[in-house]
Amino acid sequence: MNQTLSTFKPNAKSLLGFTAAVGMTALAVGSTVAPAGAFTVFTNRAAWQTAIGSGYTISDDTFSTPIADAPSITFDSGIVSTGTGGNGTKFNGVQNSGEYKGGLKRPGVTNGAPAGFFEKITWTFTDPVKGFFADWRSINALLITGNFDGTGPQTINLRNALGGPNGGFGLIGEKKFTEITFTLPVANNSRTDNFFVDNLAVAVPTPALLPGLIGLGIGAWRKRKSEQTAEAEANT
C-alpha cells in the first residue's frame, strides 16, 4: 500500500472491506477537510503528525518498561489496557523486547483454544483523543473498533489497511474518542492471534491554561486600576 492518507465517510458501521475503500477514496496530504461523519486514516507517521496540527499534544508510549501480562495493565502514559472474555489471563502486557503484545481468540471458540487468550482487549485513554498512530507487527485478522466520528462504532480490518502483517497505521477522528477495542472476526480461520504494537502516539488537546491565566491576570489588573481611579476621584 502506497497511500499515506485516506478519508472515509462510511455508509455502514463496518469497514471490513477496507482495501477497496482505500483505493477509491485516497487523497493527497493537504486536501480538503474530511466531511462530517468521516475520519481520516494514515500509513505514514509524519503525515499523521502534520495533519494533527498545533492544537494537540502528542503523548508517546515507547513500551520501554516491561509490564507483566495481566487482565488489566496501565502503560507509562496512563492508558489502561483491559482484556475481557474467553479464558484470558495473559497475553496483555509489555514485553522485554520493548513491544506491547496482545493475544486474542475468535469469539465463541471453546475447544482447542490455548489458555490465556481474551476475546476483546480495550485501550482506554486518560483523556479524549483526536487520533492515534503506532507501528504494528504480526497482524493477521485484527479488527480495531472505535467511535471515531461521534455517530457510533466503526470497525477497521487492520491487515487490509496495512496491506500486510506489518507497518505503520493511525487515524484522526472527526470527533474525539475515549477508547479503541481489538477483536478477531467471528469467521476468522485461526482460533487465536497474537499482535504486537510499538511507538504508540496519541493526540490530546493542548491545555489552554496559560492563555487563561494571562487573561485572568489582565482582568484583575483592570479591576484594581478601576477601583484606584474611582477612589482617587472620590477624594478630590
Short mmCIF file of all heavy atoms in Angstrom, two decimals, residues 136-186:
data_model
loop_
_atom_site.label_atom_id
_atom_site.label_comp_id
_atom_site.label_asym_id
_atom_site.label_seq_id
_atom_site.Cartn_x
_atom_site.Cartn_y
_atom_site.Cartn_z
N TRP A 136 2.81 -1.50 13.89
CA TRP A 136 2.10 -2.76 14.13
C TRP A 136 2.90 -3.90 13.52
O TRP A 136 3.48 -3.76 12.44
CB TRP A 136 0.71 -2.71 13.51
CG TRP A 136 -0.08 -1.51 13.96
CD1 TRP A 136 -0.02 -0.25 13.42
CD2 TRP A 136 -1.01 -1.44 15.04
NE1 TRP A 136 -0.87 0.60 14.10
CE2 TRP A 136 -1.49 -0.10 15.09
CE3 TRP A 136 -1.50 -2.38 15.95
CZ2 TRP A 136 -2.42 0.31 16.03
CZ3 TRP A 136 -2.44 -1.97 16.89
CH2 TRP A 136 -2.88 -0.64 16.92
N ARG A 137 2.88 -5.05 14.21
CA ARG A 137 3.64 -6.21 13.72
C ARG A 137 2.84 -7.49 13.94
O ARG A 137 2.08 -7.60 14.90
CB ARG A 137 4.98 -6.30 14.46
CG ARG A 137 5.88 -7.43 13.97
CD ARG A 137 7.28 -7.33 14.56
NE ARG A 137 7.32 -7.64 15.99
CZ ARG A 137 7.37 -8.88 16.48
NH1 ARG A 137 7.36 -9.94 15.68
NH2 ARG A 137 7.44 -9.08 17.79
N SER A 138 3.01 -8.41 13.02
CA SER A 138 2.40 -9.73 13.09
C SER A 138 0.88 -9.64 13.12
O SER A 138 0.20 -10.32 13.90
CB SER A 138 2.91 -10.49 14.33
OG SER A 138 2.53 -11.86 14.28
N ILE A 139 0.33 -8.79 12.24
CA ILE A 139 -1.12 -8.61 12.18
C ILE A 139 -1.72 -9.65 11.24
O ILE A 139 -1.31 -9.76 10.08
CB ILE A 139 -1.47 -7.19 11.69
CG1 ILE A 139 -0.84 -6.14 12.61
CG2 ILE A 139 -2.97 -7.01 11.61
CD1 ILE A 139 -1.23 -6.25 14.07
N ASN A 140 -2.68 -10.39 11.73
CA ASN A 140 -3.34 -11.40 10.92
C ASN A 140 -4.75 -10.93 10.55
O ASN A 140 -4.99 -10.47 9.45
CB ASN A 140 -3.38 -12.73 11.66
CG ASN A 140 -4.03 -13.83 10.83
OD1 ASN A 140 -4.24 -13.68 9.64
ND2 ASN A 140 -4.37 -14.93 11.48
N ALA A 141 -5.67 -11.02 11.49
CA ALA A 141 -7.06 -10.64 11.20
C ALA A 141 -7.56 -9.62 12.21
O ALA A 141 -8.77 -9.54 12.46
CB ALA A 141 -7.94 -11.88 11.21
N LEU A 142 -6.68 -8.85 12.79
CA LEU A 142 -7.04 -7.94 13.88
C LEU A 142 -8.02 -6.87 13.42
O LEU A 142 -7.82 -6.22 12.40
CB LEU A 142 -5.78 -7.28 14.44
CG LEU A 142 -5.96 -6.44 15.70
CD1 LEU A 142 -6.34 -7.32 16.89
CD2 LEU A 142 -4.67 -5.67 16.01
N LEU A 143 -9.07 -6.66 14.21
CA LEU A 143 -10.04 -5.60 13.99
C LEU A 143 -9.87 -4.53 15.05
O LEU A 143 -9.67 -4.83 16.23
CB LEU A 143 -11.47 -6.14 14.06
CG LEU A 143 -11.82 -7.32 13.14
CD1 LEU A 143 -13.27 -7.74 13.37
CD2 LEU A 143 -11.59 -6.98 11.68
N ILE A 144 -9.95 -3.26 14.64
CA ILE A 144 -9.92 -2.12 15.56
C ILE A 144 -11.26 -1.42 15.48
O ILE A 144 -11.71 -1.05 14.39
CB ILE A 144 -8.80 -1.14 15.22
CG1 ILE A 144 -7.43 -1.81 15.28
CG2 ILE A 144 -8.83 0.05 16.17
CD1 ILE A 144 -6.28 -0.89 14.92
N THR A 145 -11.90 -1.22 16.64
CA THR A 145 -13.21 -0.59 16.68
C THR A 145 -13.17 0.64 17.58
O THR A 145 -12.56 0.62 18.65
CB THR A 145 -14.28 -1.56 17.20
OG1 THR A 145 -14.35 -2.69 16.33
CG2 THR A 145 -15.65 -0.90 17.26
N GLY A 146 -13.81 1.71 17.15
CA GLY A 146 -13.91 2.92 17.96
C GLY A 146 -14.99 3.83 17.41
O GLY A 146 -15.40 3.71 16.25
N ASN A 147 -15.44 4.76 18.24
CA ASN A 147 -16.42 5.75 17.79
C ASN A 147 -15.66 6.97 17.27
O ASN A 147 -15.56 7.99 17.94
CB ASN A 147 -17.35 6.12 18.95
CG ASN A 147 -18.47 7.04 18.52
OD1 ASN A 147 -18.63 7.35 17.34
ND2 ASN A 147 -19.25 7.51 19.47
N PHE A 148 -15.15 6.85 16.06
CA PHE A 148 -14.22 7.84 15.53
C PHE A 148 -14.89 9.08 14.96
O PHE A 148 -14.22 10.07 14.71
CB PHE A 148 -13.34 7.20 14.47
CG PHE A 148 -12.60 5.98 14.94
CD1 PHE A 148 -12.70 4.77 14.26
CD2 PHE A 148 -11.82 6.03 16.09
CE1 PHE A 148 -12.03 3.64 14.70
CE2 PHE A 148 -11.15 4.90 16.54
CZ PHE A 148 -11.25 3.70 15.84
N ASP A 149 -16.19 9.02 14.71
CA ASP A 149 -16.86 10.20 14.13
C ASP A 149 -18.03 10.68 14.96
O ASP A 149 -18.77 11.57 14.55
CB ASP A 149 -17.31 9.92 12.70
CG ASP A 149 -18.40 8.87 12.61
OD1 ASP A 149 -18.83 8.34 13.67
OD2 ASP A 149 -18.85 8.58 11.49
N GLY A 150 -18.21 10.10 16.16
CA GLY A 150 -19.27 10.55 17.04
C GLY A 150 -20.64 9.99 16.73
O GLY A 150 -21.62 10.33 17.41
N THR A 151 -20.77 9.12 15.72
CA THR A 151 -22.08 8.56 15.36
C THR A 151 -22.27 7.14 15.86
O THR A 151 -23.35 6.57 15.72
CB THR A 151 -22.26 8.58 13.83
OG1 THR A 151 -21.33 7.67 13.23
CG2 THR A 151 -22.06 9.97 13.27
N GLY A 152 -21.22 6.53 16.42
CA GLY A 152 -21.29 5.13 16.83
C GLY A 152 -20.04 4.41 16.38
O GLY A 152 -19.20 4.98 15.68
N PRO A 153 -19.87 3.14 16.77
CA PRO A 153 -18.61 2.43 16.50
C PRO A 153 -18.42 2.11 15.02
O PRO A 153 -19.35 1.75 14.32
CB PRO A 153 -18.74 1.16 17.33
CG PRO A 153 -20.21 0.97 17.51
CD PRO A 153 -20.80 2.34 17.58
N GLN A 154 -17.17 2.28 14.56
CA GLN A 154 -16.75 1.80 13.24
C GLN A 154 -15.62 0.79 13.44
O GLN A 154 -14.82 0.93 14.38
CB GLN A 154 -16.25 2.95 12.36
CG GLN A 154 -17.28 4.02 12.06
CD GLN A 154 -17.23 5.16 13.05
OE1 GLN A 154 -16.15 5.59 13.44
NE2 GLN A 154 -18.37 5.65 13.46
N THR A 155 -15.56 -0.19 12.56
CA THR A 155 -14.57 -1.27 12.69
C THR A 155 -13.67 -1.31 11.45
O THR A 155 -14.16 -1.27 10.32
CB THR A 155 -15.27 -2.62 12.88
OG1 THR A 155 -15.99 -2.61 14.12
CG2 THR A 155 -14.26 -3.76 12.91
N ILE A 156 -12.36 -1.40 11.69
CA ILE A 156 -11.36 -1.43 10.62
C ILE A 156 -10.60 -2.74 10.66
O ILE A 156 -10.15 -3.17 11.73
CB ILE A 156 -10.38 -0.26 10.78
CG1 ILE A 156 -11.12 1.08 10.67
CG2 ILE A 156 -9.26 -0.33 9.74
CD1 ILE A 156 -10.29 2.26 11.12
N ASN A 157 -10.46 -3.39 9.53
CA ASN A 157 -9.61 -4.58 9.39
C ASN A 157 -8.18 -4.10 9.20
O ASN A 157 -7.83 -3.56 8.15
CB ASN A 157 -10.07 -5.43 8.20
CG ASN A 157 -9.29 -6.72 8.08
OD1 ASN A 157 -8.06 -6.72 8.15
ND2 ASN A 157 -9.99 -7.82 7.89
N LEU A 158 -7.33 -4.25 10.23
CA LEU A 158 -6.02 -3.63 10.22
C LEU A 158 -5.10 -4.22 9.15
O LEU A 158 -4.33 -3.50 8.52
CB LEU A 158 -5.37 -3.74 11.59
CG LEU A 158 -4.02 -3.04 11.75
CD1 LEU A 158 -4.11 -1.57 11.36
CD2 LEU A 158 -3.49 -3.19 13.17
N ARG A 159 -5.15 -5.51 8.94
CA ARG A 159 -4.26 -6.11 7.92
C ARG A 159 -4.59 -5.56 6.53
O ARG A 159 -3.70 -5.27 5.74
CB ARG A 159 -4.36 -7.63 7.94
CG ARG A 159 -3.33 -8.27 6.98
CD ARG A 159 -3.39 -9.77 6.99
NE ARG A 159 -2.43 -10.33 6.04
CZ ARG A 159 -1.32 -10.97 6.36
NH1 ARG A 159 -0.99 -11.14 7.63
NH2 ARG A 159 -0.53 -11.46 5.43
N ASN A 160 -5.88 -5.41 6.24
CA ASN A 160 -6.26 -4.80 4.96
C ASN A 160 -5.75 -3.37 4.86
O ASN A 160 -5.31 -2.92 3.80
CB ASN A 160 -7.78 -4.83 4.79
CG ASN A 160 -8.31 -6.22 4.50
OD1 ASN A 160 -7.54 -7.13 4.24
ND2 ASN A 160 -9.62 -6.37 4.56
N ALA A 161 -5.83 -2.64 5.97
CA ALA A 161 -5.37 -1.25 5.97
C ALA A 161 -3.87 -1.16 5.75
O ALA A 161 -3.39 -0.27 5.04
CB ALA A 161 -5.75 -0.58 7.29
N LEU A 162 -3.12 -2.08 6.36
CA LEU A 162 -1.66 -2.09 6.22
C LEU A 162 -1.21 -2.65 4.88
O LEU A 162 -0.11 -2.35 4.41
CB LEU A 162 -1.03 -2.93 7.34
CG LEU A 162 -1.13 -2.39 8.76
CD1 LEU A 162 -0.63 -3.44 9.75
CD2 LEU A 162 -0.36 -1.09 8.92
N GLY A 163 -2.02 -3.50 4.28
CA GLY A 163 -1.61 -4.20 3.07
C GLY A 163 -0.66 -5.34 3.36
O GLY A 163 0.06 -5.80 2.48
N GLY A 164 -0.63 -5.80 4.60
CA GLY A 164 0.27 -6.88 5.02
C GLY A 164 0.29 -6.99 6.53
O GLY A 164 -0.46 -6.31 7.22
N PRO A 165 1.18 -7.82 7.07
CA PRO A 165 1.18 -8.05 8.52
C PRO A 165 1.87 -6.98 9.34
O PRO A 165 1.66 -6.92 10.56
CB PRO A 165 1.92 -9.38 8.65
CG PRO A 165 2.85 -9.40 7.47
CD PRO A 165 2.10 -8.73 6.36
N ASN A 166 2.69 -6.13 8.70
CA ASN A 166 3.50 -5.16 9.46
C ASN A 166 3.39 -3.78 8.83
O ASN A 166 3.19 -3.64 7.62
CB ASN A 166 4.98 -5.57 9.47
CG ASN A 166 5.18 -7.00 9.91
OD1 ASN A 166 4.62 -7.45 10.90
ND2 ASN A 166 6.01 -7.74 9.16
N GLY A 167 3.55 -2.75 9.67
CA GLY A 167 3.59 -1.39 9.13
C GLY A 167 3.04 -0.37 10.10
O GLY A 167 2.62 -0.68 11.22
N GLY A 168 3.05 0.88 9.66
CA GLY A 168 2.52 1.97 10.46
C GLY A 168 1.08 2.25 10.08
O GLY A 168 0.70 2.20 8.91
N PHE A 169 0.27 2.52 11.09
CA PHE A 169 -1.14 2.84 10.85
C PHE A 169 -1.66 3.73 11.97
O PHE A 169 -1.32 3.54 13.14
CB PHE A 169 -2.00 1.57 10.79
CG PHE A 169 -3.49 1.87 10.73
CD1 PHE A 169 -4.09 2.17 9.52
CD2 PHE A 169 -4.26 1.89 11.88
CE1 PHE A 169 -5.44 2.48 9.45
CE2 PHE A 169 -5.61 2.19 11.82
CZ PHE A 169 -6.20 2.48 10.60
N GLY A 170 -2.48 4.69 11.59
CA GLY A 170 -3.15 5.53 12.57
C GLY A 170 -4.32 6.23 11.93
O GLY A 170 -4.59 6.08 10.73
N LEU A 171 -5.02 7.02 12.71
CA LEU A 171 -6.16 7.75 12.18
C LEU A 171 -6.39 9.03 12.97
O LEU A 171 -5.87 9.21 14.08
CB LEU A 171 -7.42 6.89 12.17
CG LEU A 171 -7.98 6.33 13.48
CD1 LEU A 171 -8.79 7.37 14.26
CD2 LEU A 171 -8.85 5.12 13.22
N ILE A 172 -7.16 9.92 12.40
CA ILE A 172 -7.63 11.13 13.06
C ILE A 172 -9.15 11.12 12.98
O ILE A 172 -9.72 11.01 11.89
CB ILE A 172 -7.07 12.41 12.40
CG1 ILE A 172 -5.55 12.45 12.52
CG2 ILE A 172 -7.68 13.65 13.03
CD1 ILE A 172 -4.90 13.62 11.79
N GLY A 173 -9.80 11.19 14.12
CA GLY A 173 -11.25 11.13 14.14
C GLY A 173 -11.90 12.46 13.80
O GLY A 173 -11.32 13.53 13.98
N GLU A 174 -13.13 12.37 13.30
CA GLU A 174 -13.92 13.58 13.11
C GLU A 174 -14.28 14.18 14.47
O GLU A 174 -14.37 15.38 14.63
CB GLU A 174 -15.19 13.24 12.31
CG GLU A 174 -16.17 14.38 12.15
CD GLU A 174 -15.64 15.49 11.27
OE1 GLU A 174 -14.67 15.26 10.53
OE2 GLU A 174 -16.22 16.59 11.32
N LYS A 175 -14.48 13.30 15.46
CA LYS A 175 -14.74 13.70 16.84
C LYS A 175 -13.69 13.04 17.73
O LYS A 175 -13.06 12.05 17.35
CB LYS A 175 -16.13 13.26 17.30
CG LYS A 175 -17.28 13.78 16.44
CD LYS A 175 -17.44 15.28 16.58
CE LYS A 175 -18.67 15.76 15.79
NZ LYS A 175 -18.86 17.22 15.91
N LYS A 176 -13.51 13.58 18.92
CA LYS A 176 -12.60 12.94 19.88
C LYS A 176 -13.25 11.65 20.40
O LYS A 176 -14.47 11.53 20.47
CB LYS A 176 -12.27 13.89 21.03
CG LYS A 176 -11.46 15.10 20.58
CD LYS A 176 -10.94 15.90 21.75
CE LYS A 176 -12.06 16.68 22.45
NZ LYS A 176 -12.58 17.76 21.59
N PHE A 177 -12.41 10.67 20.77
CA PHE A 177 -12.91 9.39 21.27
C PHE A 177 -12.10 8.97 22.48
O PHE A 177 -10.98 9.46 22.70
CB PHE A 177 -12.88 8.32 20.17
CG PHE A 177 -11.57 8.22 19.43
CD1 PHE A 177 -10.62 7.28 19.79
CD2 PHE A 177 -11.28 9.08 18.37
CE1 PHE A 177 -9.40 7.18 19.11
CE2 PHE A 177 -10.06 8.99 17.68
CZ PHE A 177 -9.13 8.04 18.05
N THR A 178 -12.64 8.09 23.28
CA THR A 178 -12.04 7.75 24.57
C THR A 178 -11.42 6.36 24.62
O THR A 178 -10.69 6.06 25.57
CB THR A 178 -13.08 7.84 25.69
OG1 THR A 178 -14.17 6.95 25.39
CG2 THR A 178 -13.63 9.26 25.82
N GLU A 179 -11.67 5.51 23.63
CA GLU A 179 -11.11 4.16 23.68
C GLU A 179 -11.12 3.53 22.30
O GLU A 179 -11.83 3.97 21.39
CB GLU A 179 -11.91 3.27 24.65
CG GLU A 179 -13.35 3.03 24.22
CD GLU A 179 -14.12 2.17 25.21
OE1 GLU A 179 -13.79 2.21 26.41
OE2 GLU A 179 -15.06 1.46 24.78
N ILE A 180 -10.27 2.49 22.15
CA ILE A 180 -10.32 1.62 20.97
C ILE A 180 -10.31 0.18 21.47
O ILE A 180 -9.76 -0.13 22.52
CB ILE A 180 -9.15 1.87 20.01
CG1 ILE A 180 -7.79 1.75 20.73
CG2 ILE A 180 -9.29 3.21 19.33
CD1 ILE A 180 -6.60 1.90 19.78
N THR A 181 -10.95 -0.70 20.69
CA THR A 181 -11.10 -2.09 21.08
C THR A 181 -10.57 -3.00 19.98
O THR A 181 -10.79 -2.75 18.79
CB THR A 181 -12.57 -2.42 21.36
OG1 THR A 181 -13.03 -1.62 22.45
CG2 THR A 181 -12.75 -3.88 21.72
N PHE A 182 -9.86 -4.06 20.40
CA PHE A 182 -9.30 -5.04 19.47
C PHE A 182 -10.08 -6.36 19.60
O PHE A 182 -10.30 -6.86 20.72
CB PHE A 182 -7.84 -5.30 19.78
CG PHE A 182 -6.98 -4.06 19.78
CD1 PHE A 182 -6.56 -3.50 20.97
CD2 PHE A 182 -6.61 -3.45 18.59
CE1 PHE A 182 -5.78 -2.36 20.99
CE2 PHE A 182 -5.83 -2.31 18.59
CZ PHE A 182 -5.41 -1.76 19.79
N THR A 183 -10.47 -6.93 18.46
CA THR A 183 -11.15 -8.22 18.43
C THR A 183 -10.71 -8.98 17.18
O THR A 183 -9.99 -8.44 16.33
CB THR A 183 -12.68 -8.06 18.39
OG1 THR A 183 -13.04 -7.23 17.27
CG2 THR A 183 -13.21 -7.43 19.68
N LEU A 184 -11.16 -10.23 17.06
CA LEU A 184 -10.99 -11.01 15.84
C LEU A 184 -12.35 -11.22 15.19
O LEU A 184 -13.37 -11.26 15.89
CB LEU A 184 -10.36 -12.38 16.16
CG LEU A 184 -8.94 -12.40 16.70
CD1 LEU A 184 -8.49 -13.85 16.88
CD2 LEU A 184 -7.98 -11.67 15.79
N PRO A 185 -12.39 -11.39 13.87
CA PRO A 185 -13.67 -11.67 13.22
C PRO A 185 -14.22 -13.02 13.66
O PRO A 185 -13.47 -13.96 13.93
CB PRO A 185 -13.31 -11.70 11.73
CG PRO A 185 -11.97 -11.07 11.62
CD PRO A 185 -11.27 -11.30 12.92
N VAL A 186 -15.52 -13.13 13.70
CA VAL A 186 -16.16 -14.40 14.06
C VAL A 186 -15.78 -15.48 13.05
O VAL A 186 -15.60 -16.65 13.40
CB VAL A 186 -17.69 -14.22 14.10
CG1 VAL A 186 -18.38 -15.56 14.32
CG2 VAL A 186 -18.07 -13.24 15.20
#
